[in-house]
Amino acid sequence: MFIKKIQLFILFAVLMNSPGLAQVTEMAGQSICSDGNNSTDISIIHTVPEKFYSLYRDGQLVQMRQSAVKSQENSILFGSFSEPGIYTAAVFDKVVAGFPMSSGIPAKGNIVISQAPIILSMDSLVLKSGDKVDFLPKADTPGTSFSWTSKALDGKSRGQSKKGTDAIRDVLYADGGTRATVVYTITPYITRQGLLCTGRSRDLVVIINP
């Protein structure tokens, strides 16, 4: 164990003292909420000649690029991306068979692509006056939260909250002996690495019979 620690220390020292490798390399690109139709260009800046630059999505290698021997450019464009994930990068001195031979030096920053959540199908609810709505929306993206507002569509209803988050749990009444309708407009949202993505709102229709 002690020998392995010494070897790792020596490897780190070699990497840190390799010409240009310890230079601060930065990622460039815009974090976005992806709807499947948009994308963002991801590149790396402050590159140096004859080094290897890798791009990762959620820790998995996406691609590897090498800077030119006498590069006049100061950046490398990895391409345009739309698949959700957290994109990071690193710089290496040596690569064998397409794989880096060290842990590399992480690039500064990251790019986040988050999917705008979509609310799954909702059926209308039919209740009797005095029944309770107990409804938790569902979305296609794990970790989605919900905000909602309500409005009376017809008839004389009471009991509905004006607004709320996540589950809807209102006891609703239809007054005046006639049917009433309440509409809850639900909006999905998710936050990933500080990036807020809001999906399209959908309506939940609740019919209250007297």
Side-chain angles (χ1 to χ4, degrees):
M1 179 65 71
F2 179 75
I3 294 176
K4 287 185 177 180
K5 287 184 178 180
I6 293 294
Q7 289 174 335
L8 288 173
F9 177 80
I10 293 173
L11 175 61
F12 181 76
V14 170
L15 287 171
M16 292 302 293
N17 288 283
S18 297
L21 191 57
Q23 174 180 335
V24 178
T25 301
E26 297 183 44
M27 295 192 70
Q30 182 178 0
S31 293
I32 61 169
C33 296
S34 175
D35 59 6
N37 297 314
N38 59 337
S39 61
T40 184
D41 289 342
I42 297 179
S43 60
I44 197 164
I45 59 176
H46 302 319
T47 60
V48 293
E50 298 185 89
K51 303 299 177 186
F52 296 90
Y53 296 87
S54 59
L55 179 68
Y56 302 87
R57 179 177 58 245
D58 294 333
Q60 299 297 313
L61 181 65
V62 175
Q63 62 174 267
M64 179 83 67
R65 295 288 184 90
Q66 182 180 17
S67 52
V69 175
K70 294 183 178 180
S71 176
Q72 299 300 315
E73 300 292 332
N74 198 28
S75 66
I76 291 177
L77 175 65
F78 286 114
S80 186
F81 297 87
S82 60
E83 185 170 345
I86 300 174
Y87 290 77
T88 56
V91 54
F92 300 88
D93 250 344
K94 188 177 181 181
V95 171
V96 175
F99 293 94
M101 296 302 294
S102 67
S103 58
I105 304 297
K108 182 179 179 182
N110 59 46
I111 306 299
V112 179
I113 300 178
S114 188
Q115 179 179 343
I118 300 173
I119 295 178
L120 301 181
S121 178
M122 300 184 300
D123 295 325
S124 298
L125 301 179
V126 179
L127 307 177
K128 290 184 178 180
S129 184
D131 284 351
K132 181 180 181 180
V133 178
D134 193 353
F135 182 80
L136 178 63
K138 295 181 180 180
D140 66 339
T141 305
T144 298
S145 298
F146 305 89
S147 63
W148 49 266
T149 59
S150 72
K151 65 179 180 180
L153 189 62
D154 57 36
K156 294 182 179 180
S157 63
R158 60 183 173 90
Q160 65 267 26
S161 303
K162 291 184 178 180
K163 60 182 179 179
T165 57
D166 295 325
I168 301 171
R169 295 189 173 96
D170 286 340
V171 178
L172 301 180
Y173 299 88
D175 293 336
T178 59
R179 188 181 73 174
T181 304
V182 174
V183 175
Y184 292 89
T185 300
I186 305 170
T187 303
Y189 65 92
I190 191 169
T191 302
R192 189 176 192 186
Q193 291 285 305
L195 177 66
L196 173 64
C197 287
T198 301
R200 182 177 298 179
S201 300
R202 295 192 65 171
D203 288 341
L204 172 67
V205 178
V206 181
I207 298 170
I208 313 149
N209 290 317

